[in-house]
Amino acid sequence: MSFVVVVTQIVFALSLCSFGGEMQQNDDYYAINLVDNLLRQSGDFNVSATEKQLNRLGDRVSIALLKILDEKALSDPRKLRRILPLIRGAFVRPEIVPIREDRKPKITLFLLRHLGKVSDPAIQEQIIQTTQFVKDQTAK
C-alpha cells in the first residue's frame, strides 16, 4: 500500500473522530490556515502570537502538513527545512496543547519516519534530532 493511500486513510479516520468532544467550533480544526501561512513565511516565525498558536498544536501540526503538502513536497529538502521547525514548535510545551490527544505525537512520529527516507544527510540528521526532541518532550 502506498504512503499516500495510508496517509489518506489516517487523515480520513482522524476527521471522523471528535477527540473526546473537545472539537473546536471553527472551520479550521486542524489549523491548516495557520500551518500554511507559517510554511509561506520567510525566515523565522517567532512572532509571539503566531508562536503561541503553533505551540498549542501538538500532533495537529502533522495532520495539517499532510493535508497541505503532496508527496513531492515531503521529499524536498527546502520544504523539509521549513517543516521540521514547525514540528518542533508544536511540541515545545505539550502540556499547553488544549486537546489531550494532540499531546501524543502519533501522526508526527509516523510523518517523521517517512521523512527520514530523504537522501540528504544533513536533513536526515535534523529529522533524527526533531524526532528525539518530540519524544523527549512528550515523555514527561
Side-chain angles (χ1 to χ4, degrees), residues 66-85:
L66 288 169
K67 287 180 169 280
I68 294 166
L69 301 170
D70 61 14
E71 183 83 22
K72 184 178 177 185
L74 291 172
S75 61
D76 179 353
R78 290 180 306 149
K79 286 282 190 196
L80 293 177
R81 285 187 190 91
R82 300 288 303 146
I83 291 169
L84 295 173

Side-chain angles (χ1 to χ4, degrees), residues 23-38:
M23 192 162 180
Q24 296 176 353
Q25 297 300 318
N26 63 29
D27 292 337
D28 196 19
Y29 176 73
Y30 294 114
I32 293 169
N33 292 328
L34 171 65
V35 174
D36 193 36
N37 288 335
L38 290 171

Side-chain angles (χ1 to χ4, degrees), residues 19 41 46 66 74-75 79 92-93 97 101 126 128:
F19 296 111
Q41 286 181 8
N46 286 333
L66 288 169
L74 291 172
S75 61
K79 286 282 190 196
V92 167
R93 294 192 49 218
V97 174
E101 194 61 33
Q126 288 178 7
I128 290 168

